[in-house]
């Protein structure tokens, strides 16, 4: 794996979700495990600990993960269904819930589309050409991962708020950015900015430029080359980036909270509605919405695992 | 920083894609972030200093950075134990627990926040038995700490895991055959070679916890000077239309997190020069 794709910058991308880090780091991990099984049970093995210590370490790891990670997830579903499935479904059919779901889907579609286009364009420029300042450019793309979500929202308040740089101009033209859908979309685009580009850059660098050069020399145009040669090669990586981008876009709370204005039925996304309902002690409703987001997270993790396996094989699926 | 082409231009589209990349990057990321710093320059140095060193700001920064540091330490220890169990041992459900490590990454922060609060509230599944022991978690700094531990655990595990897997088995076999007991082999041979990865994981968990908002504010209690985190104070100042205050606190946090990233980058470089490439 090329170091220039940013082993140096890669820590920041772990920040939210670790797209490229997962590509670089944990996939080779699983590959090697298969390749090199360790006979930990063999008595003369020098590379393991005595039985009781092994037991304690496993018990600690399993207990910690169960208590701190699994239990919160179980609480979400237990609370959501605590008054039965009818109450659960009824609360999801509330107009407020429906409008939050609609807004979340809209914002996700907008920000995933924009970041998909940007990510592919940026990855083409960065992975297929050599230029000075590449590492620096990747660091800039990574910036949103190292900015607190609240600050990601704040920067747009400073730009578009009433006291902001563009505030007076926007007001005189009656354009609403802040406390409206455009502001929510902008903040979401900001926090999900690196996902697609960061999933594609290492993959495209690894694949090199030979296939594209061959296509060009045979007379294909740039766009033909991209759609017929590059895209089929990167489709799983692209899907991976889109998956992570989408999960974050739908789940973003801090940044969106700052720019939304919390107008009920208008500018509340699902995570914001979770907060409002929770603060009003409407626990079943709050956790019902939360359960939808939790399911999104679980589905994302499953699909992510499948995609990682595909990327490891470097093969398209064989119709299975 | 200049960005110039230095490649035989066989493939088309460099100018176009680079131009679009820089434009889009500027519009979405660079100009908004620059606006934050510009806004700060509207303040005099005295004003800035006054805001940043006010009691409430200092306490919020102390809560954020102090508890994040403590949580990252716990992540460091527990993360190492989890990585060890996942990589070195075989036990039922190992693959499942490996996947579970990613949940804090994937779960929307607000969902984690309400779930942890419910779990540790006085009548919650864990809050009730803890309350009987006289330990109050929800709505105290302990709750903030718990939320930060939750959000940080994948960083240490996912940073250290590949390094431990890649560790050359011959090193520890050599140590053992030279007469080192298992304790010595682990603490003198294996752990030292994990140090760069451990420090990186620690710094990442720390940086994430400092900026964390959604999973913390529900369980925090949000009492000024006691259990109020810096990101929340930014939100409060914004809602009071005290933009200058919000901006000053944000700049301090931003600079701090850039310093942490810079340190992480240096660590990675150091690790790369120290450990020969395979």
């Amino acid at each position: 794996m090329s170091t220039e794709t940013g082993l140096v910058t890669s820590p920041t991308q772990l920040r939210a979700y670790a797209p490229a880090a997962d590509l670089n780091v944990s996939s080779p991990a699983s590959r090697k495990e298969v390749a090199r099984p360790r006979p930990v049970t063999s008595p003369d093995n020098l590379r393991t600990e005595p039985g009781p210590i092994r037991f304690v370490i496993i018990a600690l790891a399993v207990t910690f993960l169960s208590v701190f990670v699994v239990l919160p997830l179980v609480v979400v579903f237990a609370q959501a269904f605590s008054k039965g499935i009818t109450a659960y479904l009824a609360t999801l059919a509330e107009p407020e819930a429906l409008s939050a779901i609609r807004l979340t889907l809209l914002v996700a579609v907008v920000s995933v589309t924009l970041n998909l286009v940007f990510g592919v364009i940026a990855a083409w420029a960065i992975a297929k050409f050599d230029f000075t300042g590449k590492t620096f450019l990747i660091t800039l793309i990574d910036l949103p991962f190292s900015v607190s979500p609240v600050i990601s929202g704040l920067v747009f308040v400073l730009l578009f708020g009433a006291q902001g740089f563009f505030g007076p101009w926007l007001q005189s033209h009656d354009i609403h950015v802040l406390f409206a859908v455009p502001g929510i979309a902008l903040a979401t685009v900001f926090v999900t900015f690196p996902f697609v580009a960061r999933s594609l850059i290492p993959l495209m660098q690894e694949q090199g430029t030979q296939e594209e050069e061959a296509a060009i020399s045979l007379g294909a145009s740039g766009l033909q080359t991209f759609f017929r040669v590059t895209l089929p090669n990167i489709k799983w990586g692209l899907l991976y980036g889109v998956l992570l981008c989408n999960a974050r876009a739908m789940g973003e709370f801090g940044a969106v909270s700052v720019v939304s204005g919390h107008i009920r039925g208008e500018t509340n996304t699902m995570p914001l509605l979770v907060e409002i309902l929770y603060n009003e002690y409407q626990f079943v409703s709050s956790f019902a919405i939360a359960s939808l987001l939790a399911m999104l997270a679980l589905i994302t993790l499953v699909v992510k695992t499948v995609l990682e396996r595909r990327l490891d094989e470097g093969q398209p699926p064989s119709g299975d | 920083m200049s960005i110039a082409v230095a490649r035989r231009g066989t493939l088309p589209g460099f100018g176009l894609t680079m131009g679009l990349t820089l434009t889009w990057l500027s519009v979405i990321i660079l100009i908004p972030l620059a606006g934050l710093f510009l806004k700060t320059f509207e303040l005099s140095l005295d004003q800035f200093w006054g805001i940043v060193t006010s009691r409430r700001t200092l306490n919020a920064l102390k809560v954020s950075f102090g508890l994040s540091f403590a949580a990252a330490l716990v992540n460091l220890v527990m993360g190492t134990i989890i990585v060890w169990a996942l990589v070195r041992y075989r036990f039922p459900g190992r693959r499942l627990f490996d996947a579970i490590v990613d949940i804090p990454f994937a779960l929307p922060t607000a969902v984690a926040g309400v779930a942890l609060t419910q779990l540790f509230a006085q009548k919650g599944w864990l809050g009730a038995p803890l309350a009987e022991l006289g330990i109050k978690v929800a709505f105290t700094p302990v709750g903030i700490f718990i939320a930060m531990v939750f959000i940080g655990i994948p960083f240490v595990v996912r940073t250290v895991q590949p390094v431990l897997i890649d560790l050359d088995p011959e090193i520890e076999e050599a140590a053992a055959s030279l007469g080192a007991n298992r304790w010595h082999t682990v603490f003198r041979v294996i752990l030292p070679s994990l140090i760069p990865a451990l420090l990186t994981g620690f710094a990442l968990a720390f940086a994430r916890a400092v900026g964390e908002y959604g999973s913390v504010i529900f369980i925090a209690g949000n009492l000024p000077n006691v259990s109020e985190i810096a990101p929340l104070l930014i939100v409060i100042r914004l809602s009071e239309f005290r933009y200058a205050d919000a901006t000053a606190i944000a700049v301090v946090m931003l600079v701090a997190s850039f310093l942490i990233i810079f340190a992480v980058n240096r660590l990675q470089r150091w690790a790369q020069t120290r450990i020969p490439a395979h």
Side-chain angles (χ1 to χ4, degrees):
Chain A
M1 204 64 58
S2 157
T3 53
E4 200 172 11
T5 55
L7 255 185
V8 179
T9 52
S10 70
T12 49
Q13 79 227 21
L14 266 160
R15 170 133 190 119
Y17 224 116
D22 271 6
L23 290 174
N24 287 340
V25 171
S26 55
S27 340
S30 45
R31 212 184 297 140
K32 266 200 185 112
E33 267 178 288
V34 179
R36 198 208 296 159
R38 293 202 180 88
V40 279
T41 47
S42 109
D44 57 344
N45 197 300
L46 303 167
R47 302 185 62 235
T48 191
E49 288 73 48
I53 293 180
R54 269 210 311 264
F55 178 79
V56 169
I57 290 177
I58 292 174
L60 276 174
V62 166
T63 311
F64 181 89
L65 287 175
S66 304
V67 170
F68 282 98
V69 182
V70 178
L71 216 47
L73 201 62
V74 176
V75 166
V76 172
F77 291 99
Q79 288 288 332
F81 290 103
S82 60
K83 296 265 161 65
I85 189 146
T86 334
Y88 174 81
L89 292 175
T91 190
L92 288 180
E94 294 277 333
E96 213 175 28
L98 290 178
S99 95
I101 294 170
R102 261 197 307 271
L103 180 58
T104 294
L105 292 176
L106 172 69
V107 169
V109 167
V110 170
S111 51
V112 168
T113 310
L114 288 174
N115 281 326
L116 173 69
V117 174
F118 163 80
V120 171
I121 289 173
W124 180 269
I126 289 169
K128 298 292 183 189
F129 300 91
D130 285 329
F131 53 90
T132 48
K134 188 185 275 195
T135 316
F136 182 68
L137 184 58
I138 294 175
T139 310
L140 290 182
I141 290 176
D142 269 345
L143 270 182
F145 280 158
S146 44
V147 174
S148 171
V150 167
I151 298 177
S152 310
L154 170 70
V155 294
F156 292 104
V157 174
L158 295 180
L159 282 185
F160 301 116
Q163 308 173 27
F165 294 102
F166 303 118
W169 186 87
L170 288 171
Q171 264 183 342
S172 65
H173 289 78
D174 201 29
I175 303 171
H176 300 277
V177 176
L178 219 55
F179 311 136
V181 178
I184 297 174
L186 258 177
T188 309
V189 171
F190 182 101
V191 294
T192 55
F193 193 82
F195 285 106
V196 177
R198 283 310 245 136
S199 307
L200 288 181
I201 291 168
L203 188 66
M204 284 169 72
Q205 268 181 338
E206 207 176 9
Q207 287 170 349
T209 56
Q210 282 176 346
E211 287 183 43
E212 282 85 0
E213 278 161 13
I216 297 283
S217 72
L218 290 171
S221 73
L223 279 180
Q224 279 176 326
T225 307
F226 174 75
F227 281 106
R228 302 254 180 92
V229 178
T230 312
L231 197 56
N233 281 337
I234 61 169
K235 62 184 171 194
W236 299 117
L238 192 63
L239 211 57
Y240 188 88
V242 165
L243 178 80
L244 300 188
C245 180
N246 175 65
R248 179 70 194 264
M250 288 190 172
E252 179 53 28
F253 176 71
V256 168
S257 169
V258 170
V259 297
S260 129
H262 304 274
I263 306 166
R264 297 193 89 133
E266 276 183 48
T267 62
N268 276 333
T269 61
M270 289 165 73
L272 296 182
L273 190 58
V274 169
E275 180 195 26
I276 290 176
L277 294 171
Y278 191 83
N279 288 339
E280 290 173 349
Y281 303 103
Q282 301 192 43
F283 294 129
V284 172
S285 307
S286 171
F287 279 100
I289 307 280
S291 75
L292 293 183
L293 290 167
M295 278 188 261
L296 168 78
L298 291 177
I299 293 168
T300 302
L301 280 185
V302 171
V303 179
K304 174 171 162 273
T305 313
V306 173
L307 283 178
E308 272 165 8
R309 222 161 280 167
R310 288 257 183 272
L311 285 162
D312 265 5
E313 292 158 5
Q315 294 286 326
S318 49
D320 47 347
Chain B
M1 183 65 60
S2 72
I3 291 170
V5 207
R7 192 197 181 88
R8 59 275 154 184
T10 36
L11 288 183
F14 179 76
L16 180 70
T17 52
M18 182 56 80
L20 286 172
T21 301
L22 292 179
T23 310
W24 187 236
L25 181 73
S26 305
V27 169
I28 298 294
I29 308 293
L30 301 183
I31 294 174
L33 278 179
L36 183 72
F37 286 94
L38 267 178
K39 193 82 188 172
T40 322
F41 290 131
E42 289 176 8
L43 294 169
S44 75
L45 202 61
D46 280 349
Q47 284 173 314
F48 180 82
W49 194 245
I51 293 167
V52 170
T53 57
S54 78
R55 179 158 167 267
R56 191 165 169 189
T57 311
L58 275 184
N59 280 326
L61 289 170
K62 223 181 284 175
V63 167
S64 275
F65 282 90
L67 289 175
S68 298
F69 193 83
L73 277 180
V74 170
N75 283 329
L76 186 67
V77 174
M78 285 316 298
T80 310
I81 290 172
I82 291 169
V83 168
W84 199 272
L86 291 177
V87 172
R88 287 303 176 94
Y89 305 144
R90 296 293 171 270
F91 55 94
R94 185 183 63 91
R95 276 172 177 280
L96 184 67
F97 278 102
D98 195 344
I100 282 170
V101 170
D102 275 336
I103 286 178
F105 273 155
L107 201 63
T109 55
V111 177
V114 294
L116 286 169
T117 312
Q118 202 71 6
L119 192 58
F120 286 99
Q122 211 132 49
K123 288 182 182 159
W125 293 349
L126 294 178
L130 284 171
E132 273 180 36
L133 297 171
I135 304 168
K136 206 167 168 289
V137 175
F139 318 123
T140 72
V142 184
I144 303 179
F145 166 77
I146 299 262
M148 286 171 167
V149 168
F150 169 85
I151 206 73
I153 197 70
F155 291 93
V156 175
V157 174
R158 292 299 181 232
T159 316
V160 178
Q161 196 173 23
V163 183
L164 184 61
I165 289 171
D166 274 347
L167 207 66
D168 191 350
E170 281 175 22
I171 299 173
E172 51 191 294
E173 274 157 21
S177 65
L178 288 171
N181 65 27
R182 190 60 196 161
W183 184 264
H184 275 123
T185 310
V186 169
F187 283 91
R188 298 268 173 84
V189 180
I190 302 178
L191 283 184
S193 54
L194 296 182
I195 282 175
L198 285 169
L199 287 176
T200 306
F202 173 83
L204 291 172
F206 178 56
R208 170 69 196 255
V210 166
E212 184 55 29
Y213 179 68
S215 50
V216 175
I217 53 157
F218 295 96
I219 202 171
N222 305 329
L223 203 63
N225 299 315
V226 178
S227 54
E228 183 178 69
I229 54 168
L232 179 69
L233 188 55
I234 294 178
V235 172
I236 290 173
R237 291 308 187 213
L238 268 180
S239 68
E240 297 167 344
F241 299 103
R242 291 168 67 173
Y243 284 20
D245 292 53
T247 309
I249 302 166
V251 164
V252 170
M253 292 188 63
L254 212 53
V255 170
S257 58
F258 287 164
L259 287 177
I260 297 172
I261 291 155
F262 181 70
V264 169
N265 285 353
R266 297 307 295 262
L267 268 174
Q268 293 263 318
R269 269 177 221 222
W270 174 63
Q272 274 175 3
T273 52
R274 228 175 69 103
I275 299 167
H278 299 288

